[in-house]
Amino acid sequence: MNYQFTIIVPVYNEEDNLIRVEKELLAYTQIATKTTKILFVNDGSKDKSQALIEAICSRHDAFDYILFRENSGLSAAIKAGFDYTTTALVGYIDSDLQTAPEDFNLLLEHIGEFDLVTGVRSNRKDSFVKNMSSKIANGIRRAFTKDGMDDTGCPLKVIKTDYAKRIPMFKGLHRFLPAMIMLQNGKTKQITVQHFPRVAGEAKFGVWNRLLGPLMDCFAYLWMKKKYINYEVAKQK
C-alpha cells in the first residue's frame, strides 16, 4: 500500500481504550481522504497496553507500533512518531479518543496550502478546573510565542512530515507544535473540531502540569527561538 498519511497514537496505560481505538481508527481508514496508516507509540506502559497493541497490529497491515524501553513522556512519544514516519503527512490523536478520527478529513482539506493544521475543541467536555487551567495555559503560551493559536493542546493535528521532522526534541514540544512550524517559516491554520468526554482510563495531566509546565516551557521556547537556524539548499549533485 502506498500510504500518504500516518496517524501517531501515543499510548501510556490505556488498556481500557485500545479496542475502541482499533475500531474507530480502522473505520476512519475506510473513509480517509488520504491513504492512512496508524503508528502506536507505547510510552513504556505498565498495564496490558503492549499486548493489546501487538494483537491489533497483527490483525491489520495498516497498524504498526513503537515500544519505548521506559516511560519518557508525551513529547518524546510524539517526536519519536515524527522520526519514524515515512509518509508525506503525519497526524496525531490521543488514545483517549476525546477527539474524533473522522475530523482528520476536515484538517486534511487545508494541508495543501498550510504546513500545520490543528483542531480547536468546540464545547469541551472536560471539568471546569481542567478547562480553566487549559485556558490560562493557552493565554500564557500565546503571550510568549505570538502564535495566534487558541488551543494548542487539542490532540488532533496534521503536519507536513518534512516540517515535523525538523522540530527539535524537548519536553513540552506538544504544546508548541504550531510555534515550531512558524519558526521554520511555515504556515498554520486552526479548524474547529468535535470534543467528547473521556469514557475510560485516566487523564495523564493535572492542574500543575497544565499551568507550571507551560510557563517553564515558554522560557525554553524563547531560548530556542533566539538560536533557531533555517537554511535552504539551492543546489545539490
Side-chain angles (χ1 to χ4, degrees):
M1 179 72 72
N2 185 23
Y3 293 107
Q4 301 168 298
F5 179 42
T6 299
I7 299 174
I8 299 165
V9 186
V11 175
Y12 183 63
N13 294 344
E14 292 285 2
E15 62 182 8
D16 294 331
N17 276 317
L18 285 171
I19 297 304
R20 180 168 161 251
V21 169
E22 174 189 18
K23 179 181 177 181
E24 295 209 17
L25 288 177
L26 184 63
Y28 174 69
T29 64
Q30 307 305 308
I31 63 166
T33 54
K34 303 285 186 183
T35 52
T36 300
K37 65 185 297 185
I38 314 301
L39 178 61
F40 290 109
V41 182
N42 186 351
D43 183 21
S45 295
K46 303 294 193 296
D47 63 359
K48 298 177 182 177
S49 291
Q50 183 59 23
L52 288 166
I53 287 170
E54 292 187 21
I56 292 168
C57 292
S58 71
R59 291 192 286 266
H60 310 292
D61 291 339
F63 286 67
D64 291 320
Y65 71 85
I66 299 168
L67 170 63
F68 282 2
R69 190 177 301 277
E70 58 187 13
N71 178 246
S72 299
L74 178 59
S75 292
I78 293 172
K79 175 59 174 167
F82 292 164
D83 291 344
Y84 279 81
T85 291
T86 58
T87 55
L89 298 173
V90 61
Y92 144 55
I93 191 170
D94 276 354
S95 49
D96 60 19
L97 289 182
Q98 287 192 257
T99 49
E102 60 263 29
D103 282 349
F104 273 120
N105 284 348
L106 299 177
L107 308 189
L108 287 167
E109 286 180 23
H110 302 274
I111 196 63
E113 181 182 355
F114 295 90
D115 304 302
L116 173 146
V117 184
T118 182
V120 177
R121 293 167 285 190
S122 64
N123 301 314
R124 284 186 63 176
K125 303 301 190 295
D126 289 322
S127 68
F128 174 80
V129 172
K130 185 175 180 180
N131 283 338
M132 286 304 298
S133 59
S134 292
K135 186 174 182 179
I136 294 168
N138 273 309
I140 293 170
R141 189 211 67 258
R142 275 196 306 272
F144 276 80
T145 65
K146 313 296 184 187
D147 63 9
M149 297 288 110
D150 296 317
D151 184 18
T152 60
C154 178
L156 200 74
K157 292 178 172 63
V158 175
I159 312 173
K160 290 178 179 173
T161 303
D162 285 348
Y163 284 81
K165 287 182 180 293
R166 290 195 293 265
I167 296 174
M169 170 76 84
F170 66 98
K171 282 190 176 182
L173 75 81
H174 59 281
R175 302 183 181 102
F176 293 87
L177 293 176
M180 296 308 300
I181 299 302
M182 291 169 70
L183 279 186
Q184 301 177 49
N185 300 317
K187 296 172 65 179
T188 64
K189 185 177 180 65
Q190 51 187 0
I191 300 291
T192 300
V193 298
Q194 304 172 83
H195 190 247
F196 305 94
R198 177 185 266 272
V199 298
E202 297 180 354
K204 306 303 186 294
F205 293 96
V207 174
W208 287 111
N209 298 107
R210 294 190 184 91
L211 294 178
L212 185 59
L215 178 60
M216 296 174 64
D217 294 339
C218 281
F219 290 104
Y221 168 79
L222 289 180
W223 178 89
M224 199 174 311
K225 181 178 180 180
K226 185 177 181 181
K227 301 292 185 180
Y228 199 83
I229 298 173
N230 279 304
Y231 68 87
E232 294 183 22
V233 175
K235 201 172 184 179
Q236 181 182 15
K237 180 180 178 182

